[in-house]
Amino acid sequence: MKETVERLNNQAILLAKDGSYKEAIACFSRALTLEKNNELLWYNLALTYRDAGKTIQAKEALLKAKEISPNDQDVIEELAIILFNLEEHDASIELCLEGLKLNPENYNLWNTRGVNFFNKGNYTEACESFENAVYLNPYYDDALFNLRDAYKKLGNKVGETECSLRLKELKNNGDNR
């Protein structure tokens, strides 16, 4: 059977799904020797590194994927989260803004931007970001949870209560499905 990039990618995904990260990384690495400018391979390799707890390597692979495909929203979102996890908050915020210029309705990037500001202690900017995320997706419970916490830090009891009620409502509706 001929070794192809597609087969290696699929095999690596299955290996990673089973927790065999070392073998999955080897498959992705082999596939990248065949097609070094394949953004999907770099992205999948990054996710595997992330899942294996190798955050620095995940960042490096995502930077390569972004170099190949600079406007890919999935790459931008994942890289922003990796940068956040590495406590590179300013770089993550900058990347979120870059992604939001491409797609201002990306509620995941609004939320990630807010989480970065929250962790920097800038609760006003965090609130603005979380409010945008919730406006764009009213069912985004992570953003609602984050917005509630930001309101709490700012002493906005009305906003905090509103978010708590909305989260309870979402939970109850989810239990009825």
Side-chain angles (χ1 to χ4, degrees):
M1 188 179 301
K2 186 178 179 202
E3 188 175 64
T4 66
V5 169
E6 185 178 359
R7 277 200 185 113
L8 287 166
N9 183 58
N10 291 340
Q11 182 180 1
I13 290 170
L14 291 173
L15 287 165
K17 192 175 182 180
D18 288 339
S20 301
Y21 301 121
K22 185 177 178 182
E23 294 82 359
I25 291 166
C27 277
F28 285 127
S29 296
R30 173 67 186 133
L32 284 163
T33 65
L34 301 174
E35 210 172 290
K36 69 179 179 177
N37 288 320
N38 185 319
E39 176 254 336
L40 180 63
L41 290 174
W42 285 106
Y43 179 75
N44 288 339
L45 174 62
L47 296 182
T48 303
Y49 275 134
R50 178 204 64 198
D51 293 347
K54 297 177 182 242
T55 312
I56 300 290
Q57 293 90 335
K59 174 187 170 184
E60 291 167 2
L62 285 165
L63 286 170
K64 183 65 178 171
K66 188 173 182 313
E67 180 183 310
I68 295 164
S69 186
N71 298 332
D72 186 299
Q73 290 284 299
D74 291 332
V75 171
I76 291 170
E77 280 182 38
E78 193 60 42
L79 182 55
I81 291 168
I82 291 292
L83 291 171
F84 168 79
N85 289 336
L86 291 169
E87 297 183 13
E88 296 180 30
H89 300 297
D90 291 335
S92 182
I93 290 167
E94 188 177 312
L95 188 61
C96 287
L97 289 176
E98 182 183 324
L100 289 167
K101 284 180 186 173
L102 297 169
N103 178 9
E105 295 184 7
N106 185 325
Y107 52 85
N108 291 317
L109 286 175
W110 280 112
N111 187 60
T112 300
R113 180 178 185 267
V115 170
N116 277 287
F117 277 120
F118 188 94
N119 278 271
K120 289 180 61 148
N122 187 337
Y123 305 117
T124 302
E125 285 289 332
C127 277
E128 180 186 313
S129 296
F130 298 139
E131 286 168 349
N132 280 315
V134 171
Y135 173 77
L136 292 167
N137 182 354
Y139 302 99
Y140 193 2
D141 56 350
D142 284 347
L144 265 169
F145 182 87
N146 294 334
L147 180 58
R148 181 190 66 192
D149 288 353
Y151 281 152
K152 183 176 185 174
K153 288 284 189 183
L154 291 172
N156 181 342
K157 297 285 185 200
V158 173
E160 182 184 351
T161 301
E162 232 177 270
C163 288
S164 292
L165 291 171
R166 180 73 179 129
L167 284 164
K168 186 177 179 181
E169 180 184 308
L170 287 175
K171 183 183 182 305
N172 288 340
N173 286 340
D175 291 342
N176 293 333
R177 291 180 195 172

